[in-house]
Amino acid sequence: MRGVRRTAAAAIALGVIAALVSSGTALAQSPTESPQEKVVFDVGVDSDITGLNPFNLCCGPDYEYLELVYDLAIGFSREDLSPAPRIVTEWTPSEDSMTWTMKVRDDATFHDGTPLTAEDVAFTFTLISKYKMPFYKDYFPFDPTFEVLDPTTVVWKSTEPTFAPEIPAYAPVLPKHIWGRFDTVEGTPSADEAKEVRKAVKEFENNPPIGSGPFRFEEWKKGQFLRFSFNDDWWGGDSKTIDEVVIRVYDSDEAMVQALRSGEIDFAEGVSPPLFNTLKNDPNITTHIADGGCWGNIAYNFGGQGETATNHPAIKDLRVRQAIAHAVNKQEIVDRVYQGTAVVGDSILMPGKNGFWYTDIPTELEYPYDPAKANQILDDAGYLDTDGDGVREMPGGGEPLNFEVMTITDVEGSVDTGRLLKGYLQEIGIGVKFITVNTNKAYDLWYTGEWDIYVWDWCPDPDPDFMLSVFTTDQCLGWSDGCYSNPEYDKLYEAQQRALDRNERKAIIDQMQLMIAEQLPVMVLNYWSDLQAYRSEWTGFRPSPNVENGLLLFGYTTVDTYLELTFASEQAPGTGASPGLPAWVWIAVAGGVVVVIGGAIAARRRRVEDEA
Amino acid sequence: MGSQRYLVRKVLHAIATLLFVVAFNFYLFRIMPGDPITILARSQHLSRADIAEQIANLGLDKPLPQQLLIYLGDTFRGELGVDLRSGAPVSQLIAERLWPTILLVGISTVLSIGFGLLIGIKGAWQRGGLFDTTSLYTSLVFYSMPEGWLGMILIVLFAGLLGWFPAGQYESPADLTGFAHIVDVLNHLFLPCLTLTLGYIGEYAIVMRSSLLEVRGEDFITTARAKGVPDRDVRRRHAVPNALLPTLTLVFYSFGFVLGGAVVIESVFSWPGVGRLTYEAIGELNYPILQGVFLLSSVTVILFNLAADILYGYLDPRIREG
């Protein structure tokens, strides 16, 4: 009797496993050979987007998302990042530069099928400037108004002469039929009314986002991936190969690099230097060092933050800053801290990102590495080591030159650069006491001025205005590093804002860059790189701007590159599925577990019966 | 009578702990340096006025005691506030991350407890034997490894070199449904689950082993043997049930921590769970998210501890009396 039961149980168990296996293999057909023919381009990034609302953008891949889904009014040329037609195809100033006439293209439509017209462009500009939307509002100075003449013409009316309209506003053209509900105030809004609108706009979820860009938004799995499909109706042309772009988020750089090696992703954005160097030898992978758009620096504290400031008096002496500049070996920092992936920098504007505006600083203002000269300058200025402890004192004795150097643990290279800096300063008789903190704490100390020197970074916009503003007196307790103040520089800053001719403005900006290089409120150490790597079967990348270290993707208007990519390989590119064991293995494992547990239970029952 | 008082005391104790934790969490995160708005503001080039407006919008300009009252009120009404960065409700963000965490941490906890106890029992019973020494040392080696490092080694090996498993994340960005989706998730689950399981087997094995060794020397075991009970039954009927008591505490304790997620492993494997949400929130001082996650995991830890206490009192009457 018992034997029969056991046999029956075993037969049923086997039957269940067999059924599972057969149905599983039939259903699953493992993800690797799925029938879809879609060509998916997988991009790995190191952080998720902030949100889908363009008014909540911040950093990382936010802007890639923005440009995939939305069109800018005026874009950036991939040749040199100069203004280039996008939704707005022409912009012409009046004689007095107070009125600009903009032509809007007539062949653009939003992803929901609604045509994009001059109404949408005027609406977007109005929403931003009328309610002073943070970040974007600076593109629309002097309280302009926007008038729609006909479906393809917008007139930008400024209250003062301006060149602002031809600086590409890095703002998406929004569909009026979706965002129009937020423009609730007739005429000029009061401060409180504007505040209410700003709050409402920022709280809008915007899911799904409707833009007019080259890709339609498909889905966002938070913390995992974003999926976009090519927009067949895009005014700018067809995609050669790619049907979908997927942006995958990897919290760990190592995992992202391994995913690139295994072909799970096709492109890795923002690889760290040590891992990047290991990818160089992989025959399946092409590496590319691009201009990262940020520069590393040491900045000085001039005081002015109030009673909390603890700045050292010697910092204000230009000769001390010059001596430090001569003592620092910028090339060594690049080689040792950034493992050769950054380049030595000289100006607060960058040769790649700021292209036209960048000034190559003459050698004598770069204060080349020369510790002997640095010591000489300090000796001549009267900073002598009177007590023989290896640290100089203020002229005439007194406070020793011990500087508090703030380094920031989560800013790449900051701590290591600080260590080298300590060595350089010791060479010239300056002592260093480190304050090593994370970014959060660094912001606190920055505003209270409790530091002498810090090692941090800046990332300028393509238009130089913001970067230049950082060194003006007004920015003390705003974005100024250490409340540097120079009335002459302030005047130049205002003059460049009012210069209407590009070359005239450039001449002023040249002067400003030289002034900063000479006066050293900051010392530009290096231009960082954005390390990119991709599977070698993909071709069609071209750097933007079109220089050796232009960005392949994740740059200004580089989204067009997705449309130009093709793959030269017998192996079909990824279909979006990840590698893994086929379904039958999992079913076998599950079956095995059932058998083991079932066996154990049966054995136990048998024993219980034996004992009974 | 006695057992009822025991129960009431334990429940009251749990409620008091919870209240303390809720208030303590609030201050804990605010002691951390920096302020969240400035952190976001630098990359957006916000002006001081814009920053002030943001701070006011989020209620961060009010005095701390007032913020605490608002927070307590909201919490008791079940509102956990909004994400400072995107403005999405925190309860929704946590809910989205809950399932992946339960899957990963839950399964690996079950597996490591299962294997750990088996290894501990078998090892203790054949103390000093080949199985005991090899299994004990292996599991302790894994236990003492930094789990993030172990995870990376597995990624390099199985994802990068062999290409058998994905290097991270929860699922493929492809339209997979039904059974194919389950297989896809299992493939993504394998490496992080293996890492966590390997990492925690040692903990259970060693507790089980030492507790069983202790029981093995007790008089009732000798008595059982003297009665002629077969060795297997001495282990199964007499030794193991008694040795399980201390292990039970550990097991309940571990399950209490499941919902808090595995911060390191979820980050290494880009697993969209609660642990990773915490990790990201700490970086940007996202108070509401941190408060929400800590509240959730405090509640579960306290509940599981309460359950363990009650069960313990039931299994071992001596505790109730004390």
Side-chain angles (χ1 to χ4, degrees), chain A residues 67-71 86 111 212-216 229-232 234-235 237 559-560 563:
Chain A
E67 284 207 53
L68 281 164
V69 174
Y70 291 94
D71 282 315
R86 201 78 180 169
H111 298 155
S212 59
F215 285 83
R216 287 170 202 271
S229 64
F230 176 65
N231 169 17
D232 294 316
W234 193 51
W235 54 267
V559 283
D560 291 4
L563 311 183

Side-chain angles (χ1 to χ4, degrees), chain A residues 359-370:
Chain A
T359 305
D360 192 356
I361 307 293
T363 320
E364 66 273 16
L365 288 186
E366 283 194 54
Y367 305 112
Y369 177 57
D370 189 350

Side-chain angles (χ1 to χ4, degrees), chain A residues 180-509:
Chain A
R181 70 181 90 147
F182 295 109
D183 183 15
T184 47
V185 181
E186 291 283 337
T188 314
S190 70
D192 280 343
E193 282 170 335
K195 207 160 145 183
E196 281 304 306
V197 170
R198 284 199 290 269
K199 190 159 188 268
V201 167
K202 279 183 80 81
E203 280 170 1
F204 182 48
E205 200 184 353
N206 194 31
N207 188 8
I210 301 294
S212 59
F215 285 83
R216 287 170 202 271
F217 171 85
E218 291 291 339
E219 63 175 329
W220 177 32
K221 290 258 167 127
K222 282 180 200 163
Q224 294 199 72
F225 59 83
L226 288 139
R227 199 156 62 85
F228 307 92
S229 64
F230 176 65
N231 169 17
D232 294 316
D233 299 328
W234 193 51
W235 54 267
D238 241 341
S239 169
K240 280 188 181 159
T241 320
I242 292 173
D243 299 307
E244 284 194 356
V245 169
V246 171
I247 296 182
R248 297 207 206 189
V249 185
Y250 290 91
D251 266 11
S252 110
D253 212 23
E254 181 68 56
M256 179 165 79
V257 163
Q258 297 305 330
L260 182 67
R261 276 190 202 276
S262 70
E264 221 178 308
I265 54 172
D266 303 286
F267 189 96
E269 163 65 17
V271 183
S272 68
L275 288 172
F276 183 78
N277 287 335
T278 65
L279 283 175
K280 279 184 183 159
N281 307 321
D282 192 316
N284 298 319
I285 288 164
T286 310
T287 55
H288 177 76
I289 299 183
D291 175 2
C294 295
W295 41 270
N297 67 298
I298 59 177
Y300 297 99
N301 187 5
F302 297 84
Q305 294 92 344
E307 287 169 12
T308 50
T310 59
N311 54 304
H312 196 288
I315 295 286
K316 282 188 180 155
D317 188 342
L318 176 60
R319 291 167 300 182
V320 172
R321 303 198 298 276
Q322 284 172 336
I324 294 175
H326 276 301
V328 169
N329 186 343
K330 291 184 184 180
Q331 187 60 49
E332 189 182 35
I333 295 174
V334 163
D335 293 340
R336 290 183 52 187
V337 177
Y338 298 94
Q339 306 188 14
T341 58
V343 286
V344 168
D346 55 1
S347 177
I348 55 170
L349 297 179
M350 303 182 66
K353 202 183 198 178
N354 299 109
F356 175 75
W357 307 105
Y358 164 77
T359 305
D360 192 356
I361 307 293
T363 320
E364 66 273 16
L365 288 186
E366 283 194 54
Y367 305 112
Y369 177 57
D370 189 350
K373 189 165 180 190
N375 272 313
Q376 190 60 50
I377 292 174
L378 290 175
D379 287 346
D380 293 349
Y383 295 92
L384 300 172
D385 180 13
T386 46
D387 55 7
D389 65 349
V391 177
R392 295 168 186 273
E393 280 85 41
M394 294 291 286
E399 201 178 341
L401 297 193
N402 280 318
F403 293 156
E404 287 187 309
V405 175
M406 180 161 80
T407 57
I408 305 163
T409 48
D410 45 354
V411 168
E412 200 173 323
S414 172
V415 173
D416 292 337
T417 302
R419 289 200 187 107
L420 289 177
L421 180 66
K422 182 176 185 173
Y424 300 143
L425 293 186
Q426 265 166 358
E427 290 278 299
I428 59 168
I430 294 176
V432 165
K433 182 177 161 253
F434 282 125
I435 316 171
T436 304
V437 294
N438 65 5
T439 310
N440 301 348
K441 183 71 185 166
Y443 281 115
D444 279 357
L445 296 178
W446 171 26
Y447 283 126
T448 51
E450 295 171 80
W451 53 282
D452 295 314
I453 295 177
Y454 65 51
V455 187
W456 213 335
D457 65 281
W458 277 110
C459 307
D461 297 334
D463 184 82
D465 186 81
F466 173 75
M467 196 65 255
L468 297 171
S469 77
V470 165
F471 301 95
T472 58
T473 310
D474 280 352
Q475 287 283 2
C476 179
L477 291 179
W479 292 114
S480 175
D481 286 293
C483 289
Y484 171 72
S485 172
N486 180 347
E488 216 179 317
Y489 179 87
D490 296 347
K491 268 187 218 130
L492 288 174
Y493 175 72
E494 274 175 36
Q496 68 85 28
Q497 271 193 324
R498 291 178 191 277
L500 293 175
D501 177 72
R502 206 167 138 88
N503 291 315
E504 184 195 336
R505 186 178 175 217
K506 159 86 169 142
I508 302 170
I509 290 176

